[in-house]
Amino acid sequence: MEESSELEALLRWAAMVGISDSPSSSATPSRTSCLGHSLAVASFPDAGGRGLAGVRDLKKGELVLRVPRSALLTSERVVEADEKLSGCIKRHPFLSSTQILTVCLLVEVGKGRKSWWYPYLVQLPRHYDTLSNFTRFEIQALQIEDAKWVSDKAVSNARSEWKEAVLVMQEIDLKSQLRSFRSWLWASATISSRTLHVPWDSAGCLCPVGDLFNYAAPEEEYSSDVASSSEHNDTEGALDAKQLDSYSVRLTDGGYEDETASYCFYAKRCYRKGEQVLLSYGTYTNLELLEHYGFLLDMNPNDKAFIELDADVCKISSWPKDSLYIQPDGSPSFALLCALRLWATPANHRKAVKHMFYTGSLLSVENELFIMKWLAKKCQQLLGRMLSTIDEDNLLLRCINMMLDQPSCVEGVEACSCRELESFLQVNCLVNQATESQLSVKAKRSLERFELVIKWRLSHKTMLLNCVSYCQRISDSLPSQH
């Protein structure tokens, strides 16, 4: 009930400050909610939780939400209204724009009900699962060295940025609990996961109501555009060709528009009434989603598995290292395939086939067989060095889900016979809670983060296994050598 009342208060406040989901700027604003013309808050348990649904059929390119600049929480707005904060920031020019916005957020939180953004701030998430919030045990459980390095760096960066900003927070007499590293982690995760781009501040802005949209990977959106558009191909109110052309060149689902001094959001594809309207933040791997947003996708078309390559592979090709990866279906990226083909070609023959290499052409059956066998072997070796198998990870996930759904079901946990789960419970002092009827909030959060860890490493291993299968299929499809 408390969450519901906070949401209602937010929507009433949003309507008062000019936030609207009406396609027409001349529409009479509601006094009770900024939503209702195009969108409504709804629950999507299996697709991001709380989000925004269409209250009617929405056409691709249609304006679905407008948030005036005055409603955006920006460093500019907060600093302008606080002379002491302004002077302090000027005395500490080493702070990044993101650090400044983080401090500004904590300043507004410290004001409590006196903050102009209080109805928005009070309904922000109480915790996040971004990598900077991961414990040492959770980071090690990722198993993959690259992922552990990224996680360690996220934790280290968060702490160093906090240490740099503490002096500023002390000088402005910010409440002691808001100066803590724990508060900084919360505020910086809020900035990382919820800000939107604005042209005047590289840190971006917090956008009330606009941050209720859940994420859709770019490829997912575009795949259904044609089908959805044909379903909406009615003559009444149909978009004309000129409109469609203008909408098709939009690179994002929204952005700040000087013409209306508002942050505007558009439907990237057609949506049916009741369907969740999603926002694409950009193209991210699952590790990047975890790092910046604190979640991952079960089916992420933009996920990548990087493998250790011989130094010569990178040296002899002009492809950037981050373009050499395995895709979710197991196939090597175009760049990786081309680089491996050139690497597998004898040095004295490379110049003659380089023109074929850049077009992605098969160089020879022998060459292709060699790189498929090499790639499959590399993936098998990586899987063999993992501390757990795919089957063991799936079993561990089932045990975690069992504990989250039925905390008192200790027999199920024991049935897992999983040392890693036992270690996790001991490290987090949760051994006794395994038999209780309800997990504490702290225990539940720890288990949910651990679940994210296992899901991530399982998806990574699955990509490697898919690559082994892919290489076998390609090898079997090639003409036999005599």
Side-chain angles (χ1 to χ4, degrees):
M1 288 298 294
E2 181 181 354
E3 183 179 352
S4 176
S5 63
E6 288 177 352
L7 178 60
E8 289 173 3
L10 168 65
L11 299 181
R12 283 197 303 271
W13 171 83
M16 288 172 54
V17 301
I19 298 174
S20 174
D21 69 340
S22 173
S24 172
S25 58
S26 60
T28 304
S30 167
R31 293 184 178 182
T32 58
S33 176
C34 65
L35 303 179
H37 290 282
S38 303
L39 305 168
V41 178
S43 178
F44 301 93
D46 299 323
R50 187 174 71 176
L52 294 173
V55 298
R56 57 183 175 82
D57 289 354
L58 301 172
K59 295 182 176 65
K60 178 180 178 180
E62 189 174 353
L63 178 67
V64 293
L65 186 66
R66 182 189 296 106
V67 182
R69 180 168 178 166
S70 58
L72 304 176
L73 198 165
T74 63
S75 298
E76 178 186 66
R77 283 286 308 281
V78 178
V79 172
E80 281 180 353
D82 192 324
E83 188 175 337
K84 188 174 185 179
L85 175 60
S86 176
C88 190
I89 288 175
K90 289 176 181 176
R91 291 193 300 274
H92 297 278
F94 56 84
L95 290 181
S96 69
S97 60
T98 302
Q99 285 173 299
I100 292 172
L101 184 55
T102 305
V103 171
C104 288
L105 173 58
L106 290 170
V107 166
E108 289 301 319
V109 170
K111 294 177 182 178
R113 293 182 179 274
K114 293 180 181 179
S115 171
W116 192 71
W117 289 280
Y118 176 77
Y120 167 66
L121 298 173
V122 76
Q123 59 79 52
L124 285 172
R126 303 295 193 266
H127 71 280
Y128 296 92
D129 294 324
T130 52
L131 288 184
S132 58
N133 287 276
F134 276 32
T135 65
R136 170 53 42 187
F137 182 94
E138 291 156 3
I139 291 174
Q140 290 301 312
L142 288 166
Q143 296 186 352
I144 314 303
E145 289 303 317
D146 285 351
K148 291 192 288 184
W149 181 85
V150 170
S151 302
D152 283 333
K153 187 178 178 183
V155 173
S156 175
N157 285 349
R159 186 167 288 277
S160 62
E161 289 173 358
W162 167 68
K163 288 179 178 179
E164 291 173 352
V166 161
L167 184 58
V168 173
M169 293 188 285
Q170 289 172 341
E171 289 185 13
I172 60 175
D173 296 322
L174 195 64
K175 295 175 183 178
S176 59
Q177 65 265 36
L178 295 177
R179 298 199 305 263
S180 68
F181 182 54
R182 182 179 178 181
S183 293
W184 182 266
L185 276 179
W186 172 83
S188 61
T190 299
I191 301 303
S192 172
S193 63
R194 305 183 83 82
T195 50
L196 298 173
H197 170 75
V198 288
W200 65 86
D201 190 341
S202 59
C205 71
L206 288 171
C207 183
V209 184
D211 60 6
L212 292 177
F213 288 102
N214 283 321
Y215 175 77
E219 188 173 306
E220 288 180 351
E221 294 179 301
Y222 306 141
S223 63
S224 57
D225 278 353
V226 175
S228 299
S229 295
S230 63
E231 291 172 0
H232 286 263
N233 191 23
D234 53 4
T235 55
E236 184 179 352
L239 297 173
D240 60 35
K242 186 176 181 180
Q243 284 179 303
L244 287 172
D245 286 342
S246 66
Y247 295 139
S248 67
V249 298
R250 294 188 192 279
L251 299 179
T252 62
D253 304 65
Y256 184 79
E257 298 182 2
D258 288 320
E259 299 82 3
T260 58
S262 302
Y263 212 101
C264 297
F265 298 85
Y266 297 87
K268 198 69 174 184
R269 63 173 179 83
C270 294
Y271 290 96
R272 285 294 190 188
K273 180 180 178 180
E275 189 178 359
Q276 181 172 196
V277 181
L278 298 167
L279 179 69
S280 173
Y281 316 150
T283 300
Y284 293 97
T285 66
N286 269 344
L287 186 61
E288 290 168 337
L289 287 174
L290 267 184
E291 179 181 6
H292 300 294
Y293 300 100
F295 68 88
L296 48 76
L297 299 176
D298 291 334
M299 300 292 290
N300 185 352
N302 302 303
D303 209 5
K304 301 172 183 177
F306 293 92
I307 61 173
E308 186 179 349
L309 299 169
D310 292 2
D312 286 346
V313 175
C314 300
K315 283 182 181 178
I316 63 175
S317 73
S318 58
W319 300 105
K321 196 171 182 180
D322 61 3
S323 67
L324 309 175
Y325 57 84
I326 294 167
Q327 301 177 107
D329 64 356
S331 60
S333 66
F334 179 81
L336 177 58
L337 183 60
C338 292
L340 288 175
R341 283 170 173 167
L342 190 63
W343 167 72
T345 301
N348 59 337
H349 291 165
R350 286 172 186 164
K351 187 175 181 180
V353 299
K354 212 159 189 178
H355 66 287
M356 297 174 63
F357 153 74
Y358 283 114
T359 62
S361 301
L362 185 147
L363 303 184
S364 71
V365 171
E366 183 182 15
N367 177 279
E368 201 76 0
L369 277 172
F370 175 84
I371 64 172
M372 288 300 134
K373 289 179 181 178
W374 181 91
L375 192 53
K377 184 178 179 181
K378 174 67 73 171
C379 291
Q380 288 170 330
Q381 289 173 341
L382 289 172
L383 287 168
R385 292 202 295 265
M386 300 291 183
L387 297 178
S388 61
T389 65
I390 288 177
D391 287 342
E392 289 169 340
D393 286 350
N394 277 316
L395 179 60
L396 179 53
L397 268 182
R398 288 198 293 273
C399 289
I400 293 173
N401 288 329
M402 194 181 302
M403 288 191 65
L404 288 170
D405 295 338
Q406 298 175 295
S408 61
C409 192
V410 69
E411 312 89 44
V413 176
E414 291 175 346
C416 285
S417 301
C418 179
R419 290 183 181 179
E420 189 175 15
L421 182 56
E422 293 173 5
S423 298
F424 171 80
L425 295 174
Q426 290 172 356
V427 166
N428 289 275
C429 303
L430 303 179
V431 176
N432 294 331
Q433 290 207 32
T435 60
E436 295 179 4
S437 60
Q438 187 172 357
L439 292 170
S440 68
V441 173
K442 181 180 178 181
K444 188 170 184 290
R445 289 177 186 171
S446 297
L447 271 173
E448 287 172 344
R449 278 201 310 273
F450 193 39
E451 181 184 31
L452 284 173
V453 167
I454 308 307
K455 281 185 174 181
W456 181 84
R457 78 187 194 198
L458 181 58
S459 68
H460 186 90
K461 293 173 187 177
T462 302
M463 282 190 280
L464 296 180
L465 186 62
N466 288 344
C467 186
V468 175
S469 299
Y470 171 86
C471 292
Q472 187 61 54
R473 289 197 307 274
I474 296 299
S475 297
D476 291 345
S477 68
L478 293 171
S480 57
Q481 298 289 291
H482 298 289

